[in-house]
Amino acid sequence: MNNFSNDEFDYHFLDEGFTVKDILNQKKNEVSSSDDKDAFYVVDLGDVLKKHLRWLKTLPQVTPFYAVKCNNSLTIVKTLAAVGAGFDCASKTEIQMMQSLGVPFGRIIYGNPWKQVSQIKYAANNGVQMMTVDSEVKLMKVASAHPKTKLILQIATDDSKAVFHLSAKFGTTLKTSRLLLEWVRELNIDVISVSFHVRSGCTEPESFVPAISDACYIFDMGTEVGFNIYLLDLGGGFPGSEDVKLKSEEIISVINTAFDTYFPSDSGVRTIAEPGRYNIASAFTLAVDIIVLQEQSGSDDEDESGEQTFMYYVNDKMYGSFTCILYNHAQVKPLLQKRPKSDEKYYSSSIWGQMCDGLDGIVECCDLPEMLMGHRMLFENIGAYTVAAASTFNGFQRPIINYVMSRPMWQGMQQIKSCDFPPEVEDQDISTLPVLRRVG
Ligand SMILES: *Cc1c(COP(=O)(O)O)cnc(C)c1O
């Protein structure tokens, strides 16, 4: 890493030929004493950009509104804002963050259906119009606090295939939608969009088909009730780890086919989505150190069959970077910074966090070579629902984040910045979004 850094964005530029791995190795050598090491992240902002560009290329008809809750680190949000992403905000604080970065109102959705009246009023007074509702009670709140809103009606999806079932908490059903639309009509409020969220950790690309078909049904219902609904919001749930790239390709193909069936190119419908993990999961690598290790033998007469097991305690925790396990049922897997020898013996091992809480098990069982105090483990694909949700429980601070970017990526970003984010995109300018069309 060279000394040149960019203050506006808080990046360090990678020297030519340098990779994130090199930075991790460099940092390993920086601290010689094993006493004062702290866990830290290295984040490849180039990866965030690459993902964004890949999205624009493979789903050019779907404008991404990044779900800020997934990772609200300022540098991440700034980077995405600089290349023209929209944002799905869950609270007043997130909306304020977008305002401070100069994101046009038309690129902000106030998405979380569980809104506080004071925060709805804040959005209303600050030009944010697109808001999600999914029930009569929430509709009444929005109607009184923000009568000029442009509603997004969130429908429940069949999330039986998702890792985490949330449809019980969010979304109106097809049956109640009609009633809700009629209510909205009576209240003289506008509905412009139907949204769904196939739920975090969706492993079945096919889940998008019934969701798109249901949305189409609500579009027609809207027309019957007298609305012109013209925006389809696909929500989030797009996988973010590099190793599920194939799944993403499958999702894109499923979505394109469903568009052909339910929203043909002459329908004039515009489409957005709210990807979260997709944008940032793979950019983050976490480095932790072993602070305590405990050896156990499975039987008293320990023999060569490998009954010996190891418990490693590291300097991060379940309520820290590993909240993704609780929140998201994420499965994390350690990598060793030191490449093991080919004949290295592996032992059944478990990895624990540093909290005074029995819940703090990070990896229940994995095979690892014998490690020593001070040895480092890496966790890749750890950008989603980690730093954003991490607490300082027990007084342990969150790991420092080191942002890096290669110069070619930085230059690429400057080019996008100057052409893709025209300042004249203001207010409720949905018309700047591309009209839905099939590509490729
Ligand atoms: C959390 C959330 C997202 C982002 O989900 P990912 O699985 O990270 O893509 C998108 N939309 C809504 C409504 C959400 O609640």
Side-chain angles (χ1 to χ4, degrees), residues 360-420:
D360 203 5
I362 296 169
V363 178
E364 203 180 305
C365 184
C366 60
D367 289 333
L368 292 175
E370 184 175 353
M371 311 256 289
L372 301 176
M373 289 262 295
H375 275 182
R376 179 161 286 165
M377 291 179 189
L378 303 179
F379 290 88
E380 293 183 326
N381 292 304
I382 195 137
Y385 308 103
T386 51
V387 278
S391 84
T392 54
F393 184 51
N394 284 180
F396 295 118
Q397 297 310 302
R398 295 180 191 94
I400 290 192
I401 307 180
N402 302 278
Y403 295 101
V404 298
M405 189 185 259
S406 71
R407 271 176 204 283
M409 268 298 183
W410 170 258
Q411 281 149 3
M413 179 168 142
Q414 301 311 306
Q415 278 168 13
I416 306 168
K417 256 171 101 172
S418 55
C419 69
D420 218 36

Side-chain angles (χ1 to χ4, degrees), residues 207-237:
S207 323
F208 279 93
V209 178
I212 291 174
S213 139
D214 285 354
C216 175
Y217 185 73
I218 307 288
F219 267 63
D220 292 343
M221 198 184 270
T223 309
E224 282 164 29
V225 179
F227 291 111
N228 173 26
I229 303 180
Y230 60 89
L231 188 67
L232 172 65
D233 178 353
L234 305 177

